[in-house]
Amino acid sequence: MAQRDGITQPWGTRTPYGPGEPWPVRVDSHLAEGVRPEDVDRWVRSAAVLHSNGDGLDIAVADGRIVGVRGRADDRVNHGRLDPKDLFGWQANASPDRLTTPLVRRDGELVEASWDEAMALVVERSKALLDEQGPSALGFYTSGQLFAEEYYTLAAIARGGLGTNHLDGNTRLCTATAAAALKETFGCDGQPASYTDVDHADVIALFGHNAAETQSVLWTRVLDRLAGPNPPSLLCVDPRETPVARAATLHLAPLPGTNLALMNGLLHELIAHDRVDHDYVERHTVGYADLEKMVADYPPERVAAICGLSAAEIREAAELLGSAERLLCTVLQGFYQSHQAAAASVQVNNLVLLRGMLGKPGAGVLQMNGQPTAENTRECGADGDLTGLRNWANDAHVAELAKLWNVEQSQIPHYGPPTHLMQMLRYAENGTLRFLWVSATNPAVSLPELRRVRSILAQERLFLVVQDAFRTETAELADVVLPAAIWGEKTGTFTNADRTVHLSEKAVEPPGQARPDLDILLDYARRMNFRGRDGEPFPQWHDAESAFEAWKRASAGRPCDYSGLSYAKLRETSGVQWPCPEDRPDGTERLYTDGKFFAQPDYCESYGRDLVTGAPMEPDEYRAMNPDGKAMLKAAEYVEPHEPPGEDHPFALITGRTIHHFHTRTKTARAPQLQAAAPESWVEVSDTDAKRLDLHEGDWAEISTPRGRVHARVRVGGIREGVLFLPFHYGYFDTDRDDDRAANELTPTDWDPVSKQPLFKTAAAAIRRAEPAHREVPSADRTDNGVEEELR
Ligand SMILES: Nc1nc2c(c(=O)[nH]1)N[C@H]1C(S)=C(S)[C@@H](COP(=O)(O)OP(=O)(O)OC[C@H]3O[C@@H](n4cnc5c(=O)[nH]c(N)nc54)[C@H](O)[C@@H]3O)O[C@H]1N2
Ligand SMILES: Nc1nc2c(c(=O)[nH]1)N[C@H]1C(S)=C(S)[C@@H](COP(=O)(O)OP(=O)(O)OC[C@H]3O[C@@H](n4cnc5c(=O)[nH]c(N)nc54)[C@H](O)[C@@H]3O)O[C@H]1N2
Ligand SMILES: [Mo]
């Protein structure tokens, strides 16, 4: 068992292996200082929650407290390994500033209240609004970080109980584009490939995916392949020189927002050099002629000019992709949060289809997830999706769900498309949405154009409920704050980016009166007196395991079939991939191995959209285009980004992550090692730009866009000329500043027309040297003690 320094050696030591060999086991662990392995009373089964990788781990418990974690050697995802956030993030559970009682707003102040008082307020307001205006007055904004049981329950309550279609998850900011790209190509969500494909691939291409920092254990798997015999070649597409770029055989650094042009150029080259598996394309796809015609207009020279690359680089990349025998592609936020997000991501699907690289070891596409449980938000229908990856536009699917829930079909709103989050904000802004219940997300830091977000959430006429473990920037704006139990304090299941389901068991009691989200939701349902058609209390389940059993029934026969799983099975097997029907209890490693898709018109999750405008296709159109449910090659034309750099704002601003922090840092800033490793925000500037602007490493700079300005310390290098990068992790909770640090002060209110995912990686910005004026600035080399001081 290795107790490595997870901060200075984030990926640990190499355990090299060759193609087709099993990835060796390496068990990582971290115990609190002074705790020895023999002091641990119990090891409790769980998995990692600070990314989407799904690393299997056990929680160490001593004297009723969490005292550490240990990777599980037999887990199919991590073979024992843990990343820095896995190793240290658990300390946040015991943070002294956890929320321990409900809070309600009285005379402008949040004050402590009992559960009865707080829930009574929530229920009174819900009932009053239902009477006054009907269900469209109420909305829910949830997460990619709860458990499947909780999402399924929330979907049932919002749609089957209240009957509102204002329900979305922060998955809208995260993997809405992954889901959209899969629906457009395969007719349905569902990750085609498996992490085990890393073991077999000879070329791995990462599109806008900094896996080294964001899925560090998966990256360890890649590093171990690179260190072994016959290593794969790597292609990295990212405007920054990330650790992935540094390890890559070939690094393309396109201008932000030009992904679609680049993809069209790569497909152009594959077709021009006949790197197409015509037999596969003929048998399993529709749409080839249109795609061929579209990409004919994207020769390397034209694409090079759009993307700020050389034609030779594009040809070289196409050659690498075209000559691969086992090609694995991954896609993440560099595509999903950038201009023409879904259209560009779909072209990666097209790439693997053209090359016939699907459903066999080492070949396929991973349209990645980001959050630990984002897959569950989508499949349970706690976002804009219909429970069980069903199709909103197919009445038979809605009827199926009504039957499962034993409610009238008319109760489930399906008269129009479900409301996506950015639209809900608009409704709140203009006053038609008057109740918003936010669970496990921190929109006052994570949404674009924060000044606007704050003004919407702070409105008197909006009743804001915030359910969190900490008093976040969003909680500060709430009318009622509900204290939640978190990972390690409650039981439930969740599913990672390659469809692996884990059970996470309760290890310790939550602090004070904090309660599991599931209990809070069911309590609300009972107080609202929701009933099924036979008068029975709705939802018909009452705890985690009965919710899981109900969810299994809702998933049966759908692509995300859980019916062969049980808590008992998940206590035995460390990670099972869905679909997992009763006759295949060990799950399914890869989808589409038989060249059959979930795309049949009566079965598919979506009839698709126009990739440029986002206009939905009619059911009849879909049926005519794809009667046999094949994979769909969909083409799209590149159009210019909405906010290109110009005279006043000459830079392209992108935002993203660093290895040590998770999102708005509610957990990682409370883990001393992680906070000390990255205590303060920074801005990446290229060498050339830094010289020209007389900016030096460590200088303070002001970065501004038409929405606002922030200050950050300069880091010189690691990014292409003309581009700036800011991490989005830094809100205000551990500073005395109120509005000049968070990257989202700068980002625009704009979203992808297909997936409705906000574009966090497209903005025009300016930068200049400038000290932040009005406060003390923490230095970059704070010690652990300094960090703890700050949090108190
Ligand atoms: N350490 C850490 N790990 C995490 C998280 C975390 O907060 N911290 N969050 C988790 C979650 S929810 C998510 S969604 C994932 C996200 O994981 P990633 O998508 O890997 O992370 P990002 O840093 O958001 O973006 C990836 C890269 O996109 C590049 N990029 C920006 N604009 C463009 C563009 O126009 N084109 C291209 N090709 N690339 C571009 C950026 O330079 C950046 O390196 O990480 C998960 N894992
Ligand atoms: N500029 C910019 N903005 C971005 C991004 C970007 O790349 N750039 N990325 C976007 C992406 S991909 C994502 S996923 C979002 C993430 O944005 P958020 O979802 O706002 O980020 P988190 O900090 O993870 O917030 C989760 C909250 O849930 C709480 N929590 C944790 N566990 C539980 C639980 O079990 N129950 C309850 N009730 N609460 C819990 C945490 O304390 C925390 O406050 O940010 C998006 N915003
Ligand atoms: Mo995300």
Side-chain angles (χ1 to χ4, degrees):
M1 205 162 76
Q3 282 253 24
R4 73 170 194 280
D5 179 349
I7 300 294
T8 58
Q9 300 168 276
W11 306 296
T13 47
R14 297 281 59 75
T15 51
Y17 70 123
E21 292 170 8
W23 186 29
V25 166
R26 185 193 86 195
V27 175
D28 297 337
S29 120
H30 178 74
L31 292 177
E33 210 173 297
V35 175
R36 298 158 306 168
E38 58 270 29
D39 299 333
V40 174
D41 300 330
R42 289 181 300 134
W43 291 95
V44 179
R45 216 173 169 76
S46 182
V49 279
L50 297 176
H51 48 75
S52 57
N53 211 50
D55 306 334
L57 59 77
D58 292 330
I59 303 173
V61 180
D63 299 327
R65 293 182 314 120
I66 300 180
V67 293
V69 287
R70 178 180 70 192
R72 235 181 354 257
D74 67 346
D75 189 84
R76 70 164 298 278
V77 171
N78 61 332
H79 296 212
R81 288 164 191 75
L82 296 178
D83 87 352
K85 292 189 277 58
D86 303 344
L87 287 169
F88 302 115
W90 53 269
Q91 296 167 100
N93 280 60
S95 180
D97 60 352
R98 283 285 301 273
L99 286 168
T100 53
T101 68
L103 306 173
V104 301
R105 194 168 291 282
R106 272 204 206 105
D107 306 324
E109 297 292 315
L110 285 173
V111 297
E112 293 190 357
S114 69
W115 271 104
D116 264 339
E117 283 172 273
M119 290 307 285
L121 281 176
V122 176
V123 167
E124 261 165 43
R125 185 58 71 105
S126 303
K127 286 184 172 162
L129 287 171
L130 277 177
D131 284 349
E132 248 174 70
Q133 191 186 321
S136 68
L138 294 97
F140 295 81
Y141 178 43
T142 189
S143 186
Q145 300 173 43
L146 298 180
F147 292 150
E149 294 77 355
E150 296 171 327
Y151 297 131
Y152 182 56
T153 303
L154 177 56
I157 287 174
R159 308 225 200 264
L162 285 167
T164 177
N165 64 354
H166 307 324
L167 165 62
D168 205 355
N170 68 357
T171 46
R172 187 64 65 188
L173 323 181
C174 183
T175 52
T177 303
L182 293 168
K183 287 178 211 174
E184 293 304 325
T185 303
F186 304 111
C188 190
D189 199 343
Q191 193 66 270
S194 166
Y195 288 169
T196 48
D197 289 322
V198 170
D199 308 347
H200 302 274
D202 67 348
V203 176
I204 304 177
L206 297 97
F207 294 96
H209 181 197
N210 183 12
E213 298 197 66
T214 59
Q215 284 173 305
S216 316
V217 167
L218 185 64
W219 180 244
T220 307
R221 199 166 188 150
V222 174
L223 288 178
D224 285 346
R225 275 296 316 278
L226 291 177
N230 302 314
S233 300
L234 248 51
L235 171 67
C236 170
V237 180
D238 194 311
R240 295 163 60 218
E241 201 185 284
T242 59
V244 176
R246 288 195 288 276
T249 318
L250 182 62
H251 173 208
L252 299 185
L255 281 168
T258 64
N259 294 321
L260 180 59
L262 175 63
M263 291 312 302
N264 282 350
L266 294 173
L267 296 178
H268 172 103
E269 284 296 284
L270 290 182
I271 291 176
H273 294 90
D274 201 22
R275 298 291 203 171
V276 176
D277 183 339
H278 291 285
D279 181 50
Y280 189 91
V281 168
E282 176 70 23
R283 279 194 294 144
H284 299 304
T285 72
V286 295
Y288 180 74
D290 289 343
L291 181 66
E292 186 180 26
K293 194 159 157 239
M294 175 66 72
V295 302
D297 286 342
Y298 291 82
E301 284 70 20
R302 177 181 174 215
V303 171
I306 296 172
C307 300
L309 297 167
S310 73
E313 285 175 297
I314 294 165
R315 290 201 170 90
E316 204 185 327
E319 175 57 25
L320 190 62
L321 298 167
S323 57
E325 282 168 23
R326 289 174 306 279
L327 170 65
L328 177 64
C329 296
T330 76
V331 194
L332 202 46
Q333 300 308 351
F335 272 46
Y336 299 165
Q337 295 175 341
S338 193
H339 177 56
Q340 295 195 288
S345 305
V346 160
Q347 305 315 313
V348 182
N349 297 339
N350 289 345
L351 167 63
V352 303
L353 287 169
L354 286 191
R355 300 248 30 242
M357 292 286 172
L358 206 62
K360 57 185 186 191
V365 59
L366 292 162
Q367 295 281 356
M368 283 292 180
N369 289 345
Q371 294 174 90
T373 78
E375 186 63 44
N376 308 102
T377 316
R378 280 146 46 190
E379 67 202 21
C380 295
D383 56 357
D385 296 313
L386 185 60
T387 303
L389 307 182
R390 289 181 170 81
N391 189 342
W392 279 111
N394 184 336
D395 278 349
H397 286 198
V398 180
E400 242 173 51
L401 195 61
K403 191 158 171 250
L404 273 160
W405 287 348
N406 199 31
V407 300
E408 297 297 334
Q409 188 177 338
S410 57
Q411 175 70 12
I412 302 174
H414 57 287
Y415 41 82
T419 319
H420 64 93
L421 175 73
M422 299 303 281
Q423 187 64 41
M424 277 201 298
L425 280 184
R426 183 79 190 112
Y427 290 154
E429 191 168 44
N430 68 23
T432 59
L433 186 85
R434 295 164 63 191
F435 171 108
L436 184 63
W437 187 333
V438 173
S439 49
T441 181
N442 188 9
V445 181
S446 57
L447 284 181
E449 201 176 353
L450 285 181
R451 193 187 337 186
R452 169 173 179 256
V453 171
R454 277 191 299 270
S455 78
I456 294 172
L457 296 182
Q459 290 174 103
E460 194 85 34
R461 65 183 174 184
L462 178 73
F463 188 80
L464 182 67
V465 182
V466 172
Q467 185 167 311
D468 204 290
F470 298 100
R471 198 159 160 166
T472 60
E473 292 85 346
T474 309
E476 291 300 339
L477 306 171
D479 295 285
V480 172
V481 179
L482 303 175
I486 54 178
W487 171 90
E489 299 162 358
K490 59 181 181 178
T491 292
T493 52
F494 60 96
T495 306
N496 79 344
D498 86 337
R499 292 174 280 104
T500 304
V501 185
H502 282 105
L503 175 67
S504 180
E505 303 225 53
K506 177 173 171 177
V508 297
E509 289 302 323
Q513 301 175 39
R515 302 175 68 188
D517 296 87
L518 180 68
D519 295 12
I520 301 173
L521 292 168
L522 287 173
D523 183 31
Y524 174 72
R526 301 298 179 245
R527 289 173 192 258
M528 290 294 290
N529 198 23
F530 296 136
R531 299 275 161 178
R533 259 187 308 214
D534 301 318
E536 78 284 11
F538 176 79
Q540 292 90 346
W541 49 94
H542 58 275
D543 64 2
E545 192 156 4
S546 60
F548 185 72
E549 291 300 317
W551 160 237
K552 275 165 58 177
R553 288 190 289 279
S555 72
R558 295 302 300 165
C560 52
D561 196 325
Y562 282 66
S563 50
L565 281 175
S566 62
Y567 278 17
K569 165 88 182 172
L570 291 168
R571 286 188 179 113
E572 266 163 37
T573 314
S574 198
V576 181
Q577 288 171 289
W578 67 244
C580 185
E582 264 168 299
D583 58 3
R584 221 185 310 140
D586 294 322
T588 310
E589 189 168 28
R590 294 180 185 84
L591 300 184
Y592 312 140
T593 47
D594 53 2
K596 296 211 164 47
F597 302 91
F598 301 132
Q600 297 85 352
D602 294 326
Y603 189 78
C604 67
E605 185 188 2
S606 163
Y607 297 127
R609 292 175 180 275
D610 181 278
L611 287 187
V612 174
T613 65
M617 271 174 80
E618 293 300 321
D620 290 345
E621 257 179 288
Y622 182 91
R623 204 174 281 278
M625 183 254 304
N626 192 18
D628 304 320
K630 295 186 177 189
M632 294 163 276
L633 294 165
K634 287 196 174 177
E637 190 172 353
Y638 169 76
V639 298
E640 281 200 3
H642 302 162
E643 192 177 282
E647 207 168 310
D648 293 342
H649 297 96
F651 286 87
L653 172 70
I654 57 179
T655 61
R657 296 163 164 75
T658 186
I659 190 164
H660 298 110
H661 280 303
F662 184 64
H663 298 170
T664 74
R665 294 182 311 136
T666 63
K667 289 186 177 177
T668 51
R670 291 174 169 89
Q673 300 86 343
L674 298 171
Q675 175 66 0
E680 182 52 273
S681 188
W682 69 91
V683 56
E684 270 174 37
V685 188
S686 76
D687 294 305
T688 325
D689 291 323
K691 276 204 193 77
R692 194 165 46 79
L693 298 170
D694 194 26
L695 288 167
H696 306 274
E697 185 78 19
D699 280 354
W700 278 97
E702 177 198 271
I703 304 96
S704 57
T705 71
R707 269 82 45 197
R709 63 199 175 98
V710 302
H711 287 87
R713 283 190 194 272
V714 171
R715 275 193 196 171
V716 179
I719 193 163
R720 71 163 288 158
E721 206 181 323
V723 185
L724 303 174
F725 172 85
L726 277 172
F728 85 102
H729 303 298
Y730 300 88
Y732 315 113
F733 86 91
D734 60 352
T735 83
D736 54 357
R737 290 182 255 180
D738 53 2
D739 69 348
D740 77 345
R741 181 160 80 156
N744 279 323
E745 303 292 348
L746 306 183
T747 46
T749 297
D750 192 4
W751 56 83
D752 183 65
V754 179
S755 67
K756 321 293 187 222
Q757 181 160 345
L759 304 183
F760 293 109
K761 298 190 186 345
T762 312
I767 183 168
R768 65 182 183 101
R769 185 135 51 104
E771 294 271 332
H774 53 283
R775 66 203 134 68
E776 225 177 90
V777 175
S779 82
D781 55 13
R782 269 185 310 186
T783 61
D784 290 8
N785 285 341
V787 173
E788 282 179 344
E789 284 292 336
E790 274 233 324
L791 285 177
R792 247 175 246 131

